[in-house]
Amino acid sequence: DAKTTQPNSMESNEEEPVHLPCNHSTISGTDYIHWYRQLPSQGPEYVIHGLTSNVNNRMASLAIAEDRKSSTLILHRATLRDAAVYYCILLNFGNEKLTFGTGTRLTIIP
Amino acid sequence: DTEVTQTPKHLVMGMTNKKSLKCEQHMGHRAMYWYKQKAKKPPELMFVYSYEKLSINESVPSRFSPECPNSSLLNLHLHALQPEDSALYLCASSPYTGTEAQPQHFGDGTRLSIL
């Protein structure tokens, strides 16, 4: 499976936008980019996924580089509830195996 | 509130005990999963069931025995566990399509402690 690289930790101020980067230089043409997050004492939560085009949903936006070797999860206005570990995961067409990396621990500063 | 319900939330058992973890979903999902998560580590996949059949076993020791009695229910039977098996056990489900990987919905897990 293609691997992803994320910073171990990031901090952001409350009510500011947050940009969480993910590098995936060995991504294949059929790999989807998925983001999950895990809040303290909870199971992981799906955030967003995409293939080539940028994606928006009620939780976040996903910006995918033109060469698909990197992507950025954007939280438009961070709240304290967004403090979590964010995982960027590549999933191939038809593959149901989520392989979590170490993720980015996001701290929100009040 | 999660749509995947796991019981019990906490379980303490001895190494000779037999216990079961239960997971339930009523979203009509046809794929269900068991993950194991050690403290401060990411979740690791253990088993995948697709249409009630075991499709993936990630070389999990036989002291863990999964069962999928119907499309809404997933069990994990535990027997003769070791202290290193103490972890958070997470269940997830997804609307398996066999094409684009669908988002997985996770429960909040069962925290298992082996004495």
Side-chain angles (χ1 to χ4, degrees):
Chain A
D1 293 331
K3 287 199 179 289
T4 63
T5 304
Q6 299 177 254
N8 288 333
S9 62
M10 290 182 62
E11 287 185 349
S12 183
N13 294 320
E14 193 178 9
E15 299 185 7
E16 296 285 323
V18 182
H19 291 236
L20 295 162
C22 181
N23 288 321
H24 28 78
S25 57
T26 59
I27 191 170
S28 75
T30 52
D31 280 334
Y32 286 80
I33 302 160
H34 284 242
W35 284 82
Y36 283 76
R37 71 180 185 180
Q38 189 170 18
L39 279 65
S41 302
Q42 293 187 22
E45 174 185 31
Y46 166 79
V47 178
I48 200 167
H49 77 283
L51 183 61
T52 56
S53 304
N54 294 346
V55 184
N56 300 297
N57 66 20
R58 63 174 179 82
M59 290 181 68
S61 296
L62 176 60
I64 301 173
E66 200 169 329
D67 64 4
R68 300 186 72 236
K69 293 182 186 295
S70 66
S71 60
T72 302
L73 179 71
I74 303 165
L75 308 178
H76 294 287
R77 192 167 168 271
T79 69
L80 296 178
R81 196 196 171 276
D82 292 319
V85 179
Y86 286 78
Y87 297 100
C88 170
I89 303 168
L90 299 184
L91 274 180
N92 206 313
F93 188 83
N95 187 354
E96 300 294 322
K97 285 178 57 171
L98 277 181
T99 302
F100 289 83
T102 52
T104 296
R105 182 172 298 278
L106 177 65
T107 300
I108 305 298
I109 301 167
Chain B
D1 287 343
T2 182
E3 297 166 312
V4 175
T5 305
Q6 292 189 242
T7 53
K9 292 193 185 310
H10 302 274
L11 179 62
V12 179
M13 58 187 285
M15 289 189 285
T16 58
N17 293 154
K18 285 185 182 181
K19 296 285 184 183
S20 297
L21 309 184
K22 180 179 171 182
C23 173
E24 204 161 0
Q25 58 88 13
H26 296 287
M27 295 177 282
H29 291 173
R30 304 312 300 267
M32 297 187 76
Y33 312 77
W34 281 115
Y35 291 82
K36 174 182 178 179
Q37 186 172 26
K38 300 282 281 183
K40 300 193 184 304
K41 297 290 187 183
E44 294 179 342
L45 182 67
M46 299 174 72
F47 302 103
V48 180
Y49 274 82
S50 302
Y51 289 87
E52 298 145 54
K53 296 210 181 308
L54 183 65
S55 57
I56 296 175
N57 177 342
E58 292 288 277
S59 302
V60 178
S62 60
R63 57 185 184 269
F64 296 91
S65 176
E67 178 197 20
C68 189
N70 60 59
S71 60
S72 301
L73 192 56
L74 185 67
N75 298 320
L76 186 63
H77 302 298
L78 314 173
H79 174 54
L81 295 195
Q82 303 297 309
E84 61 265 27
D85 296 322
S86 297
L88 181 68
Y89 288 84
L90 293 159
C91 174
S93 70
S94 74
Y96 178 73
T97 63
T99 56
E100 176 181 349
Q102 297 295 314
Q104 293 184 19
H105 298 245
F106 284 80
D108 287 334
T110 294
R111 191 161 298 282
L112 177 65
S113 298
I114 307 300
L115 301 179

